[in-house]
Amino acid sequence: MNSVCARAARPGTTGRDRLLWYAAYGSNLHAARFSCYLCGGRPAGAARACPGCRDRRPPRASAALPLPGTVYFAGHSATWGGGTAFYDPAGPGPVPCRAYLVTAGQFGDVAAQEIQRTPAADLDLTRVLATGRDRLGPGRYETLLRVGALRGRPVLTLTSPTGLAGATPTAPSPAYLRTLAAGLAESHTWGPWRTAGYLATRPGAAGHWPVAAVAALLD
């Protein structure tokens, strides 16, 4: 993770500066990739650059975090090609995640970039914090979930509104799998074969990516 971004907002006292945990389960497991959402830039292996957050301060902390549920690959990513990771809290688990302690404003800006919009306004998190779920729209990553608490602060994540049952699984690209693998090694200290066994058995990858083929990517 970059310790200093090109531009950093000064700390304030507004609601957008409230701290919360963002739980990443896809490519944002990798700190260098997540720093592109915060600071701007093009992730290694990606086809698109990120504009970055309005507040470019680094996360206050990060932590490995298992969540109940499952990860599956679906849709088509303009950034990576192939399917992208989504989280279904109703599936079998656990899901290895990486939680980043960020401001509410930064979380909203990450959400905007996930749906390929330019960060411009703060999200109203009232409903997701109160009920555990809010749907901003019909598209991918437009469903907000509160998935628990960590060290006294809420843990939020982003996913698809359909869940695995309503999705058409799609095989992920090699570059995307490498990025997820790097994140799992960083955050959970997983070795290549454990990582390959996990990724190759996710819906969308299963049947398209044998464990040995994923392990070969990681060599």
Side-chain angles (χ1 to χ4, degrees):
M1 177 72 68
N2 294 337
S3 59
V4 179
C5 293
R7 183 177 76 244
R10 293 183 179 180
T13 57
T14 64
R16 74 184 315 271
D17 291 303
R18 174 181 180 179
L19 293 177
L20 55 83
W21 294 93
Y22 159 57
Y25 53 83
S27 61
N28 286 331
L29 285 162
H30 189 29
R33 190 273 178 270
F34 185 57
S35 73
C36 292
Y37 272 149
L38 293 176
C39 302
R42 180 175 169 177
R48 298 165 59 97
C50 306
C53 292
R54 293 167 292 164
D55 175 354
R56 301 193 171 201
R57 288 173 289 174
R60 277 57 168 184
S62 68
L65 180 69
L67 291 178
T70 196
V71 161
Y72 61 96
F73 299 104
H76 180 82
S77 172
T79 301
W80 301 101
T84 49
F86 295 99
Y87 171 64
D88 186 343
V95 173
C97 298
R98 187 176 198 170
Y100 297 97
L101 187 61
V102 296
T103 67
Q106 287 175 315
F107 175 76
D109 287 356
V110 169
Q113 292 173 84
E114 285 281 23
I115 57 177
Q116 299 177 12
R117 295 177 185 169
T118 300
D122 297 337
L123 288 180
D124 182 354
L125 301 178
T126 305
R127 179 173 295 179
V128 68
L129 291 173
T131 70
R133 187 181 185 95
D134 193 11
R135 186 169 174 177
L136 305 178
R140 63 178 209 162
Y141 301 123
E142 289 190 284
T143 295
L144 309 182
L145 299 178
R146 176 174 50 78
V147 291
L150 181 63
R151 301 173 194 168
R153 299 188 185 275
V155 181
L156 303 184
T157 196
L158 310 164
T159 192
S160 164
T162 63
L164 177 57
T168 300
T170 309
S173 70
Y176 192 58
L177 287 176
R178 287 191 192 100
T179 303
L180 268 69
L184 289 167
E186 277 182 356
S187 58
H188 290 263
T189 64
W190 283 11
W193 280 99
R194 182 176 183 182
T195 298
Y198 170 73
L199 294 175
T201 54
R202 300 308 90 198
H208 295 275
W209 280 102
V211 173
V214 177
L217 281 180
L218 309 186
D219 283 337

